[in-house]
């Protein structure tokens, strides 16, 4: 009949709104003096808080073009194939390995802390034949050792961490690019913890692929990761027989999304983190305004001030040779008798100040202090020293 009603059964929810969601968001103010993320300056936070625009709007393409220029400056490269990953430093690590290596190819990874371990695992997972050069945390590789291993394993890719944040080591780079060319191998360098803090010149040092992260000396929020490939790397990755295992990280698509492939149209591949890119643009602008050399000098001066203060407290620095110390992340040998976790917990509780322990193979060996970018000042070094000194006075000594 005309009066007949369609009765639809509507199921009702059985899970109530969670009580926590009915409370306001709480975020404490902390001094982030660990190895990252570091505190984000108001200007960068404000940039990330600007209105969202479409990831394929022409204004967004302009902002992405600015980011490319900012990365080219920060990396000191003219590479056209320069972009930012939608993802943290690990996204860039995986992007590099997935795109330039094919299953069964030989890869050489230097392992002197956790980052080499990670890259070795990433390469293993995608089916590469992985060879490692191994040193204890804090160790570094001579060019002779590297050349021997290149000759022996004939890798298509050699991985090296410039700023080994788990050990506090700044690895020498000079000459390694030439060795990699001699053995027809690509040089992949991780500068997540060192970019902007320690000198690095992608083109001059003949680095084929370089990546970094947003949340260290750049002081942008975590979640974006600049990366650049030179022509040698592009030749290898765009002449492969197999497709990379990851769709999201496939450089064929990413190079189009970033307008790097010479095609007239930039197509939809994935929705980039718009707010993260706005913030990254601003952090790269701050580095450009300050100047790379000023930034390197400033990190070195503040690090030296911190190192002296730590030694005055009777602490020992984990990296003995000053020239090999990473200016952005300082490693302190855990002082005799103390439980490192208690020292860290004391500083968070009483000073709202974060330092961290070791990572991977350096766990139980070191405490790490990072003063990066916006956080890099002698007044912040004083805060870190005061917190440590207080923790050493108030935390019980457990061992003899
Ligand atoms: N490499 C180095 C040297 C790092 O310090 C880090 C972060 N601690 C990473 C890679 C990984 O970056 P993310 O945590 O942003 O993925």
């Amino acid at each position: 009949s005309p009066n007949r009603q369609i009765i639809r059964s509507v199921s009702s929810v059985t899970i109530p709104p969670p009580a926590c969601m009915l409370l306001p968001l709480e975020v404490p103010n902390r001094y982030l003096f660990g190895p990252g993320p570091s505190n984000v300056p108001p200007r960068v936070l404000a940039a990330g808080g600007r209105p969202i625009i479409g990831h394929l709007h022409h204004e967004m393409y302009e902002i992405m073009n600015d980011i490319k220029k900012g990365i080219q400056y920060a990396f000191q490269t003219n590479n056209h194939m320069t972009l930012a990953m939608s993802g943290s430093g690990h996204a860039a690590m995986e992007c590099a390995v997935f795109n330039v290596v094919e299953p069964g190819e030989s890869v050489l990874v230097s392992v002197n802390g956790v980052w080499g371990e990670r890259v070795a695992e990433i390469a293993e997972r995608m089916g590469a034949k992985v060879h490692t050069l191994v040193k204890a945390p804090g160790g570094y590789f001579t060019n002779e050792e590297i050349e021997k291993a290149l000759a022996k394993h004939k890798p298509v890719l050699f991985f090296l961490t410039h700023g080994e944040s788990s050990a506090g080591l700044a690895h020498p780079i000079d000459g390694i690019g030439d060795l990699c060319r001699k053995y027809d191998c690509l040089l992949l360098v991780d500068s997540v913890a060192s970019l902007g803090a320690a000198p690095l010149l992608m083109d001059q040092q003949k680095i084929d692929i370089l990546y970094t992260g947003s949340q260290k000396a750049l002081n942008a929020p975590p979640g974006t990761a600049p990366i650049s490939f030179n022509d040698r790397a592009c030749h290898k990755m765009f002449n492969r027989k197999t497709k990379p295992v990851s769709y999201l990280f496939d450089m064929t698509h990413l190079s189009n999304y970033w307008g790097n492939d010479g095609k007239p149209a930039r197509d939809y591949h994935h929705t980039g983190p718009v707010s993260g890119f706005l913030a990254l643009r601003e952090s790269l602008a701050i580095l450009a305004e300050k100047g790379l050399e000023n930034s390197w000098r400033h990190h070195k001066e503040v690090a030296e001030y911190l190192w002296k203060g730590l030694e005055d407290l009777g602490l020992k620095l984990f990296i003995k040779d000053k020239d090999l110390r990473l200016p952005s992340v300082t490693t302190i040998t855990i002082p005799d008798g103390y439980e490192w976790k208690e020292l860290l917990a004391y500083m968070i509780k009483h000073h709202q100040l974060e330092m961290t322990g070791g990572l991977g193979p350096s766990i139980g060996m070191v405490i790490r202090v990072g003063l990066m970018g916006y956080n890099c000042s002698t007044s912040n070094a004083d805060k870190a020293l005061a917190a440590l000194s207080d923790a050493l006075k108030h935390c019980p000594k457990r061992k003899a």
Side-chain angles (χ1 to χ4, degrees):
S1 76
N3 290 334
R4 206 177 71 195
Q5 280 188 348
I6 298 169
I7 297 169
R8 278 209 192 92
S9 73
V10 177
S11 42
S12 53
V13 300
T14 55
I15 315 257
C20 63
M21 283 302 165
L22 307 177
L23 298 171
L25 169 70
E26 295 280 357
V27 184
N29 271 311
R30 293 239 160 90
Y31 296 107
L32 301 180
F33 294 174
S38 38
N39 294 97
V40 176
R43 176 173 159 189
V44 176
L45 281 177
R50 301 283 282 274
I52 296 290
I53 56 169
H55 62 300
L56 301 177
H57 293 180
H58 73 88
E59 295 90 346
M60 194 64 211
Y61 290 156
E62 286 310 311
I63 292 164
M64 290 161 80
N65 290 342
D66 293 349
I67 290 173
K68 267 192 271 184
K69 295 237 165 64
I71 298 170
Q72 285 172 329
Y73 172 67
F75 284 8
Q76 287 294 288
T77 182
N78 287 310
N79 291 341
H80 184 60
M81 199 54 74
T82 299
L83 62 144
M85 301 297 299
S86 305
S88 77
H90 278 81
M93 290 157 90
E94 293 203 330
C95 176
V97 174
F98 288 173
N99 282 280
V100 299
V101 183
E102 292 196 69
E105 288 183 329
S106 168
V107 170
L108 179 65
V109 180
S110 59
V111 179
N112 56 343
V114 78
W115 304 110
E117 288 182 355
R118 289 277 165 98
V119 168
E121 175 163 357
I122 288 166
E124 239 164 59
R125 284 184 183 211
M126 53 80 33
K129 250 193 239 131
V130 178
H131 305 279
T132 53
L133 264 175
V134 183
K135 295 259 161 134
Y140 74 101
F141 305 91
T142 64
N143 288 13
E144 290 71 35
E145 288 169 323
I146 293 168
E147 176 158 20
K148 247 176 91 182
L150 291 171
K152 183 170 171 200
H153 300 298
K154 300 185 178 52
V156 297
L157 182 73
F158 172 56
F159 171 82
L160 185 71
T161 314
H162 179 230
E164 225 303 340
S165 56
S166 63
L169 183 99
H171 203 291
I173 301 284
D174 282 344
I176 299 173
D178 283 319
L179 289 178
C180 287
R181 282 174 195 206
K182 180 173 166 192
Y183 292 91
D184 199 19
C185 164
L186 296 171
L187 173 60
L188 168 63
V189 172
D190 176 322
S191 71
V192 173
S194 56
L195 186 88
L200 193 61
L201 305 161
M202 181 174 191
D203 288 357
Q204 285 178 55
Q205 291 177 308
K206 299 184 182 154
I207 298 167
D208 297 298
I209 309 153
L210 181 65
Y211 64 82
T212 192
S214 56
Q215 79 274 25
K216 311 264 181 174
L218 284 176
N219 305 117
T224 60
I227 189 166
S228 180
F229 298 81
N230 69 5
D231 288 344
R232 293 179 81 224
C234 287
H235 181 78
K236 174 85 171 77
M237 76 181 168
F238 294 133
N239 287 288
R240 27 187 312 148
K241 294 180 200 77
T242 59
K243 284 185 179 179
V245 291
S246 169
Y247 187 88
L248 181 59
F249 296 159
D250 186 336
M251 277 298 295
T252 309
H253 297 300
L254 290 177
S255 64
N256 175 264
Y257 177 39
W258 281 82
N260 292 349
D261 66 352
K263 295 202 176 131
R266 288 157 80 152
D267 297 327
Y268 170 72
H269 169 243
H270 73 283
T271 309
V274 173
S275 309
F277 287 155
L278 302 182
L280 178 64
R281 185 221 178 266
E282 215 55 14
S283 69
L284 289 163
I286 290 172
L287 182 61
E289 288 164 17
K290 178 164 181 121
L292 261 180
E293 285 158 311
N294 285 333
S295 185
W296 296 335
R297 191 178 319 114
H298 182 64
H299 279 85
K300 184 150 190 274
E301 284 167 6
V302 171
E304 281 173 353
Y305 179 87
L306 176 71
W307 300 338
K308 163 99 177 46
L310 291 167
E311 284 170 342
D312 289 346
L313 286 178
L315 294 165
K316 292 196 183 75
L317 295 174
F318 183 68
I319 304 291
K320 301 289 168 240
D321 184 345
K322 266 191 183 185
D323 293 336
L324 292 174
R325 282 183 202 151
L326 184 59
S328 44
V329 180
T330 293
T331 39
I332 308 164
T333 303
I334 295 166
D336 281 345
Y338 287 97
E339 284 290 339
W340 58 273
K341 283 186 188 163
E342 287 180 358
L343 295 170
L344 302 182
Y346 184 92
M347 290 188 277
I348 282 270
K349 182 160 179 222
H350 297 280
H351 294 263
Q352 292 73 51
L353 188 150
E354 177 195 48
M355 292 182 195
T356 69
L359 192 64
S362 69
I363 289 177
M365 297 176 123
V366 294
I367 288 174
R368 299 185 294 159
V369 197
L371 295 174
M372 300 188 265
Y374 179 61
N375 282 349
C376 183
S377 65
T378 50
S379 62
N380 281 340
D382 285 337
K383 283 196 186 85
L385 292 166
L388 254 177
S389 163
D390 192 30
L392 290 168
K393 276 196 202 101
H394 288 93
C395 291
K397 273 199 172 194
R398 304 235 175 250
K399 297 171 242 161

